[in-house]
mmCIF file of all heavy atoms in Angstrom:
data_model
loop_
_atom_site.group_PDB
_atom_site.id
_atom_site.type_symbol
_atom_site.label_atom_id
_atom_site.label_comp_id
_atom_site.label_asym_id
_atom_site.label_seq_id
_atom_site.Cartn_x
_atom_site.Cartn_y
_atom_site.Cartn_z
ATOM 1 N N GLY A 982 -169.734 87.817 124.558
ATOM 2 C CA GLY A 982 -169.207 88.894 123.739
ATOM 3 C C GLY A 982 -169.363 88.618 122.258
ATOM 4 O O GLY A 982 -169.625 89.537 121.467
ATOM 5 N N ASP A 983 -169.227 87.357 121.844
ATOM 6 C CA ASP A 983 -169.431 87.002 120.438
ATOM 7 C C ASP A 983 -170.879 87.223 120.022
ATOM 8 O O ASP A 983 -171.159 87.644 118.890
ATOM 9 C CB ASP A 983 -169.031 85.545 120.197
ATOM 10 C CG ASP A 983 -167.530 85.360 120.080
ATOM 11 O OD1 ASP A 983 -166.836 86.369 119.820
ATOM 12 O OD2 ASP A 983 -167.058 84.228 120.247
ATOM 13 N N ASP A 984 -171.814 86.935 120.929
ATOM 14 C CA ASP A 984 -173.228 87.200 120.636
ATOM 15 C C ASP A 984 -173.451 88.702 120.409
ATOM 16 O O ASP A 984 -174.183 89.101 119.500
ATOM 17 C CB ASP A 984 -174.119 86.712 121.781
ATOM 18 C CG ASP A 984 -174.122 85.195 121.916
ATOM 19 O OD1 ASP A 984 -174.063 84.519 120.873
ATOM 20 O OD2 ASP A 984 -174.181 84.707 123.054
ATOM 21 N N ALA A 985 -172.816 89.523 121.250
ATOM 22 C CA ALA A 985 -172.941 90.973 121.108
ATOM 23 C C ALA A 985 -172.356 91.437 119.781
ATOM 24 O O ALA A 985 -172.924 92.298 119.097
ATOM 25 C CB ALA A 985 -172.257 91.674 122.271
ATOM 26 N N ARG A 986 -171.206 90.873 119.410
ATOM 27 C CA ARG A 986 -170.585 91.240 118.135
ATOM 28 C C ARG A 986 -171.499 90.866 116.970
ATOM 29 O O ARG A 986 -171.686 91.650 116.037
ATOM 30 C CB ARG A 986 -169.232 90.555 117.994
ATOM 31 C CG ARG A 986 -168.531 90.846 116.652
ATOM 32 C CD ARG A 986 -167.313 89.983 116.461
ATOM 33 N NE ARG A 986 -167.633 88.564 116.500
ATOM 34 C CZ ARG A 986 -168.189 87.906 115.486
ATOM 35 N NH1 ARG A 986 -168.513 88.533 114.358
ATOM 36 N NH2 ARG A 986 -168.449 86.608 115.600
ATOM 37 N N ARG A 987 -172.064 89.637 117.001
ATOM 38 C CA ARG A 987 -172.968 89.216 115.923
ATOM 39 C C ARG A 987 -174.214 90.094 115.872
ATOM 40 O O ARG A 987 -174.740 90.388 114.796
ATOM 41 C CB ARG A 987 -173.350 87.739 116.101
ATOM 42 C CG ARG A 987 -172.253 86.758 115.719
ATOM 43 C CD ARG A 987 -172.788 85.330 115.673
ATOM 44 N NE ARG A 987 -173.091 84.829 117.007
ATOM 45 C CZ ARG A 987 -172.222 84.181 117.771
ATOM 46 N NH1 ARG A 987 -170.990 83.970 117.334
ATOM 47 N NH2 ARG A 987 -172.570 83.743 118.969
ATOM 48 N N PHE A 988 -174.686 90.491 117.050
ATOM 49 C CA PHE A 988 -175.872 91.361 117.103
ATOM 50 C C PHE A 988 -175.590 92.674 116.370
ATOM 51 O O PHE A 988 -176.425 93.166 115.603
ATOM 52 C CB PHE A 988 -176.234 91.629 118.558
ATOM 53 C CG PHE A 988 -177.345 92.631 118.746
ATOM 54 C CD1 PHE A 988 -178.667 92.263 118.588
ATOM 55 C CD2 PHE A 988 -177.061 93.951 119.077
ATOM 56 C CE1 PHE A 988 -179.695 93.189 118.755
ATOM 57 C CE2 PHE A 988 -178.071 94.881 119.248
ATOM 58 C CZ PHE A 988 -179.393 94.493 119.085
ATOM 59 N N ILE A 989 -174.431 93.267 116.596
ATOM 60 C CA ILE A 989 -174.083 94.545 115.974
ATOM 61 C C ILE A 989 -173.654 94.376 114.522
ATOM 62 O O ILE A 989 -174.128 95.073 113.622
ATOM 63 C CB ILE A 989 -172.973 95.248 116.774
ATOM 64 C CG1 ILE A 989 -173.499 95.721 118.131
ATOM 65 C CG2 ILE A 989 -172.418 96.445 115.987
ATOM 66 C CD1 ILE A 989 -174.554 96.803 118.046
ATOM 67 N N GLU A 990 -172.743 93.460 114.269
ATOM 68 C CA GLU A 990 -172.123 93.375 112.948
ATOM 69 C C GLU A 990 -172.790 92.374 112.024
ATOM 70 O O GLU A 990 -172.592 92.419 110.804
ATOM 71 C CB GLU A 990 -170.641 93.005 113.118
ATOM 72 C CG GLU A 990 -169.859 94.023 113.943
ATOM 73 C CD GLU A 990 -168.441 93.572 114.236
ATOM 74 O OE1 GLU A 990 -168.056 92.463 113.767
ATOM 75 O OE2 GLU A 990 -167.700 94.316 114.919
ATOM 76 N N GLY A 991 -173.569 91.435 112.574
ATOM 77 C CA GLY A 991 -174.157 90.389 111.761
ATOM 78 C C GLY A 991 -173.143 89.290 111.479
ATOM 79 O O GLY A 991 -171.960 89.398 111.799
ATOM 80 N N GLU A 992 -173.613 88.226 110.857
ATOM 81 C CA GLU A 992 -172.725 87.115 110.521
ATOM 82 C C GLU A 992 -173.361 86.291 109.430
ATOM 83 O O GLU A 992 -174.558 85.958 109.499
ATOM 84 C CB GLU A 992 -172.453 86.261 111.757
ATOM 85 C CG GLU A 992 -171.357 85.215 111.554
ATOM 86 C CD GLU A 992 -170.935 84.584 112.866
ATOM 87 O OE1 GLU A 992 -171.629 83.639 113.311
ATOM 88 O OE2 GLU A 992 -169.927 85.030 113.435
ATOM 89 N N GLY A 993 -172.564 85.952 108.417
ATOM 90 C CA GLY A 993 -173.096 85.177 107.309
ATOM 91 C C GLY A 993 -174.240 85.909 106.628
ATOM 92 O O GLY A 993 -174.130 87.097 106.330
ATOM 93 N N PRO A 994 -175.367 85.211 106.408
ATOM 94 C CA PRO A 994 -176.501 85.857 105.722
ATOM 95 C C PRO A 994 -177.311 86.784 106.639
ATOM 96 O O PRO A 994 -178.226 87.468 106.175
ATOM 97 C CB PRO A 994 -177.360 84.666 105.275
ATOM 98 C CG PRO A 994 -177.100 83.625 106.318
ATOM 99 C CD PRO A 994 -175.647 83.791 106.708
ATOM 100 N N HIS A 995 -177.006 86.781 107.924
ATOM 101 C CA HIS A 995 -177.800 87.566 108.866
ATOM 102 C C HIS A 995 -177.235 88.988 108.998
ATOM 103 O O HIS A 995 -176.065 89.167 109.326
ATOM 104 C CB HIS A 995 -177.817 86.885 110.238
ATOM 105 C CG HIS A 995 -178.354 85.496 110.209
ATOM 106 N ND1 HIS A 995 -179.630 85.201 109.786
ATOM 107 C CD2 HIS A 995 -177.781 84.297 110.531
ATOM 108 C CE1 HIS A 995 -179.840 83.899 109.860
ATOM 109 N NE2 HIS A 995 -178.730 83.325 110.305
ATOM 110 N N GLU A 996 -178.069 89.963 108.754
ATOM 111 C CA GLU A 996 -177.665 91.363 108.854
ATOM 112 C C GLU A 996 -177.673 91.801 110.306
ATOM 113 O O GLU A 996 -178.615 91.527 111.044
ATOM 114 C CB GLU A 996 -178.621 92.242 108.046
ATOM 115 C CG GLU A 996 -178.216 93.699 107.990
ATOM 116 C CD GLU A 996 -179.171 94.511 107.144
ATOM 117 O OE1 GLU A 996 -180.394 94.250 107.219
ATOM 118 O OE2 GLU A 996 -178.712 95.398 106.405
ATOM 119 N N GLY A 997 -176.632 92.497 110.732
ATOM 120 C CA GLY A 997 -176.564 93.008 112.085
ATOM 121 C C GLY A 997 -177.265 94.346 112.223
ATOM 122 O O GLY A 997 -177.790 94.916 111.257
ATOM 123 N N ALA A 998 -177.264 94.852 113.465
ATOM 124 C CA ALA A 998 -177.922 96.128 113.735
ATOM 125 C C ALA A 998 -177.316 97.257 112.914
ATOM 126 O O ALA A 998 -178.026 98.141 112.438
ATOM 127 C CB ALA A 998 -177.830 96.446 115.226
ATOM 128 N N GLU A 999 -175.987 97.233 112.745
ATOM 129 C CA GLU A 999 -175.337 98.289 111.968
ATOM 130 C C GLU A 999 -175.880 98.368 110.553
ATOM 131 O O GLU A 999 -176.279 99.432 110.075
ATOM 132 C CB GLU A 999 -173.827 98.042 111.910
ATOM 133 C CG GLU A 999 -173.078 98.517 113.122
ATOM 134 C CD GLU A 999 -171.578 98.445 112.901
ATOM 135 O OE1 GLU A 999 -171.089 97.416 112.429
ATOM 136 O OE2 GLU A 999 -170.909 99.438 113.196
ATOM 137 N N GLY A 1000 -175.881 97.251 109.855
ATOM 138 C CA GLY A 1000 -176.323 97.250 108.467
ATOM 139 C C GLY A 1000 -177.782 97.617 108.324
ATOM 140 O O GLY A 1000 -178.167 98.372 107.422
ATOM 141 N N ARG A 1001 -178.590 97.085 109.223
ATOM 142 C CA ARG A 1001 -180.025 97.355 109.161
ATOM 143 C C ARG A 1001 -180.323 98.831 109.391
ATOM 144 O O ARG A 1001 -181.056 99.469 108.621
ATOM 145 C CB ARG A 1001 -180.747 96.492 110.189
ATOM 146 C CG ARG A 1001 -182.246 96.742 110.260
ATOM 147 C CD ARG A 1001 -182.850 95.892 111.354
ATOM 148 N NE ARG A 1001 -184.240 96.240 111.590
ATOM 149 C CZ ARG A 1001 -184.938 95.798 112.623
ATOM 150 N NH1 ARG A 1001 -184.390 94.978 113.493
ATOM 151 N NH2 ARG A 1001 -186.208 96.152 112.779
ATOM 152 N N LEU A 1002 -179.737 99.391 110.440
ATOM 153 C CA LEU A 1002 -180.016 100.793 110.748
ATOM 154 C C LEU A 1002 -179.389 101.737 109.740
ATOM 155 O O LEU A 1002 -179.922 102.823 109.486
ATOM 156 C CB LEU A 1002 -179.540 101.127 112.156
ATOM 157 C CG LEU A 1002 -180.359 100.504 113.293
ATOM 158 C CD1 LEU A 1002 -179.787 100.909 114.646
ATOM 159 C CD2 LEU A 1002 -181.813 100.903 113.203
ATOM 160 N N LEU A 1003 -178.263 101.359 109.157
ATOM 161 C CA LEU A 1003 -177.660 102.212 108.132
ATOM 162 C C LEU A 1003 -178.621 102.387 106.967
ATOM 163 O O LEU A 1003 -178.814 103.499 106.458
ATOM 164 C CB LEU A 1003 -176.340 101.611 107.648
ATOM 165 C CG LEU A 1003 -175.645 102.387 106.515
ATOM 166 C CD1 LEU A 1003 -175.355 103.823 106.941
ATOM 167 C CD2 LEU A 1003 -174.374 101.684 106.082
ATOM 168 N N ARG A 1004 -179.251 101.293 106.522
ATOM 169 C CA ARG A 1004 -180.231 101.406 105.436
ATOM 170 C C ARG A 1004 -181.394 102.298 105.835
ATOM 171 O O ARG A 1004 -181.877 103.118 105.042
ATOM 172 C CB ARG A 1004 -180.751 100.023 105.047
ATOM 173 C CG ARG A 1004 -179.732 99.128 104.365
ATOM 174 C CD ARG A 1004 -180.353 97.831 103.870
ATOM 175 N NE ARG A 1004 -180.877 97.007 104.956
ATOM 176 C CZ ARG A 1004 -182.152 96.922 105.284
ATOM 177 N NH1 ARG A 1004 -183.058 97.637 104.648
ATOM 178 N NH2 ARG A 1004 -182.544 96.135 106.271
ATOM 179 N N LEU A 1005 -181.857 102.135 107.062
ATOM 180 C CA LEU A 1005 -182.988 102.937 107.526
ATOM 181 C C LEU A 1005 -182.629 104.415 107.614
ATOM 182 O O LEU A 1005 -183.423 105.292 107.249
ATOM 183 C CB LEU A 1005 -183.451 102.427 108.890
ATOM 184 C CG LEU A 1005 -184.056 101.019 108.921
ATOM 185 C CD1 LEU A 1005 -184.360 100.593 110.348
ATOM 186 C CD2 LEU A 1005 -185.306 100.961 108.066
ATOM 187 N N TRP A 1006 -181.429 104.708 108.111
ATOM 188 C CA TRP A 1006 -181.003 106.111 108.213
ATOM 189 C C TRP A 1006 -180.844 106.732 106.819
ATOM 190 O O TRP A 1006 -181.201 107.898 106.608
ATOM 191 C CB TRP A 1006 -179.690 106.201 108.983
ATOM 192 C CG TRP A 1006 -179.854 106.303 110.464
ATOM 193 C CD1 TRP A 1006 -179.885 105.289 111.369
ATOM 194 C CD2 TRP A 1006 -180.024 107.506 111.218
ATOM 195 N NE1 TRP A 1006 -180.058 105.781 112.641
ATOM 196 C CE2 TRP A 1006 -180.138 107.132 112.580
ATOM 197 C CE3 TRP A 1006 -180.069 108.858 110.886
ATOM 198 C CZ2 TRP A 1006 -180.317 108.068 113.595
ATOM 199 C CZ3 TRP A 1006 -180.244 109.793 111.912
ATOM 200 C CH2 TRP A 1006 -180.367 109.389 113.243
ATOM 201 N N ILE A 1007 -180.279 105.995 105.878
ATOM 202 C CA ILE A 1007 -180.119 106.538 104.529
ATOM 203 C C ILE A 1007 -181.478 106.844 103.910
ATOM 204 O O ILE A 1007 -181.685 107.907 103.302
ATOM 205 C CB ILE A 1007 -179.319 105.562 103.645
ATOM 206 C CG1 ILE A 1007 -177.855 105.501 104.117
ATOM 207 C CG2 ILE A 1007 -179.379 105.980 102.170
ATOM 208 C CD1 ILE A 1007 -177.022 104.462 103.406
ATOM 209 N N ASN A 1008 -182.431 105.928 104.062
ATOM 210 C CA ASN A 1008 -183.783 106.189 103.545
ATOM 211 C C ASN A 1008 -184.393 107.417 104.203
ATOM 212 O O ASN A 1008 -185.075 108.222 103.558
ATOM 213 C CB ASN A 1008 -184.673 104.966 103.786
ATOM 214 C CG ASN A 1008 -184.383 103.840 102.818
ATOM 215 O OD1 ASN A 1008 -183.670 104.025 101.840
ATOM 216 N ND2 ASN A 1008 -184.909 102.663 103.092
ATOM 217 N N ALA A 1009 -184.144 107.570 105.493
ATOM 218 C CA ALA A 1009 -184.692 108.716 106.213
ATOM 219 C C ALA A 1009 -184.030 110.016 105.766
ATOM 220 O O ALA A 1009 -184.686 111.050 105.634
ATOM 221 C CB ALA A 1009 -184.509 108.523 107.711
ATOM 222 N N GLU A 1010 -182.716 109.963 105.546
ATOM 223 C CA GLU A 1010 -182.019 111.160 105.074
ATOM 224 C C GLU A 1010 -182.572 111.605 103.723
ATOM 225 O O GLU A 1010 -182.770 112.798 103.480
ATOM 226 C CB GLU A 1010 -180.517 110.876 104.957
ATOM 227 C CG GLU A 1010 -179.790 110.774 106.289
ATOM 228 C CD GLU A 1010 -179.756 112.096 107.021
ATOM 229 O OE1 GLU A 1010 -179.212 113.088 106.469
ATOM 230 O OE2 GLU A 1010 -180.259 112.160 108.146
ATOM 231 N N ARG A 1011 -182.794 110.665 102.843
ATOM 232 C CA ARG A 1011 -183.334 111.020 101.524
ATOM 233 C C ARG A 1011 -184.746 111.604 101.646
ATOM 234 O O ARG A 1011 -185.079 112.593 100.997
ATOM 235 C CB ARG A 1011 -183.345 109.797 100.613
ATOM 236 C CG ARG A 1011 -181.959 109.267 100.298
ATOM 237 C CD ARG A 1011 -181.977 108.260 99.150
ATOM 238 N NE ARG A 1011 -180.669 107.643 98.966
ATOM 239 C CZ ARG A 1011 -179.615 108.245 98.402
ATOM 240 N NH1 ARG A 1011 -179.735 109.482 97.966
ATOM 241 N NH2 ARG A 1011 -178.474 107.611 98.281
ATOM 242 N N ALA A 1012 -185.563 110.982 102.487
ATOM 243 C CA ALA A 1012 -186.920 111.500 102.684
ATOM 244 C C ALA A 1012 -186.889 112.890 103.302
ATOM 245 O O ALA A 1012 -187.669 113.770 102.917
ATOM 246 C CB ALA A 1012 -187.715 110.540 103.572
ATOM 247 N N ALA A 1013 -185.981 113.105 104.260
ATOM 248 C CA ALA A 1013 -185.883 114.409 104.915
ATOM 249 C C ALA A 1013 -185.375 115.471 103.948
ATOM 250 O O ALA A 1013 -185.842 116.623 103.962
ATOM 251 C CB ALA A 1013 -184.964 114.317 106.135
ATOM 252 N N TRP A 1014 -184.409 115.109 103.098
ATOM 253 C CA TRP A 1014 -183.886 116.078 102.126
ATOM 254 C C TRP A 1014 -184.994 116.535 101.174
ATOM 255 O O TRP A 1014 -185.145 117.733 100.909
ATOM 256 C CB TRP A 1014 -182.738 115.458 101.335
ATOM 257 C CG TRP A 1014 -182.204 116.378 100.275
ATOM 258 C CD1 TRP A 1014 -182.553 116.419 98.958
ATOM 259 C CD2 TRP A 1014 -181.256 117.442 100.467
ATOM 260 N NE1 TRP A 1014 -181.888 117.416 98.311
ATOM 261 C CE2 TRP A 1014 -181.077 118.060 99.203
ATOM 262 C CE3 TRP A 1014 -180.539 117.904 101.564
ATOM 263 C CZ2 TRP A 1014 -180.201 119.136 99.022
ATOM 264 C CZ3 TRP A 1014 -179.666 118.976 101.385
ATOM 265 C CH2 TRP A 1014 -179.511 119.580 100.135
ATOM 266 N N ILE A 1015 -185.761 115.571 100.676
ATOM 267 C CA ILE A 1015 -186.845 115.925 99.754
ATOM 268 C C ILE A 1015 -187.883 116.785 100.458
ATOM 269 O O ILE A 1015 -188.344 117.804 99.922
ATOM 270 C CB ILE A 1015 -187.492 114.644 99.183
ATOM 271 C CG1 ILE A 1015 -186.480 113.888 98.318
ATOM 272 C CG2 ILE A 1015 -188.739 114.983 98.375
ATOM 273 C CD1 ILE A 1015 -186.937 112.505 97.898
ATOM 274 N N GLN A 1016 -188.253 116.400 101.690
ATOM 275 C CA GLN A 1016 -189.273 117.161 102.417
ATOM 276 C C GLN A 1016 -188.783 118.570 102.737
ATOM 277 O O GLN A 1016 -189.550 119.539 102.647
ATOM 278 C CB GLN A 1016 -189.648 116.421 103.706
ATOM 279 C CG GLN A 1016 -190.811 117.015 104.459
ATOM 280 C CD GLN A 1016 -190.376 118.075 105.475
ATOM 281 O OE1 GLN A 1016 -189.195 118.182 105.809
ATOM 282 N NE2 GLN A 1016 -191.331 118.839 105.958
ATOM 283 N N ASN A 1017 -187.519 118.727 103.113
ATOM 284 C CA ASN A 1017 -186.980 120.049 103.430
ATOM 285 C C ASN A 1017 -186.947 120.961 102.214
ATOM 286 O O ASN A 1017 -187.032 122.181 102.340
ATOM 287 C CB ASN A 1017 -185.571 119.923 104.001
ATOM 288 C CG ASN A 1017 -185.551 119.747 105.510
ATOM 289 O OD1 ASN A 1017 -184.841 120.436 106.237
ATOM 290 N ND2 ASN A 1017 -186.338 118.797 106.004
#
């Protein structure tokens, strides 16, 4: 379960899935807004 938590939330200098995908979604939202 701790491995799963680290995978999602990250730990120390390692970015988890949440942080990584949040950046990707924000970049996509900005690109989509401009394109629309």
Side-chain angles (χ1 to χ4, degrees):
D983 281 341
D984 293 324
R986 178 189 59 77
R987 285 191 290 270
F988 174 80
I989 291 294
E990 300 174 1
E992 190 169 83
H995 302 300
E996 185 178 39
E999 278 189 313
R1001 177 183 172 191
L1002 289 180
L1003 177 58
R1004 291 186 297 101
L1005 294 175
W1006 273 92
I1007 291 174
N1008 284 349
E1010 287 293 301
R1011 296 193 187 285
W1014 177 265
I1015 295 170
Q1016 187 270 345
N1017 271 230

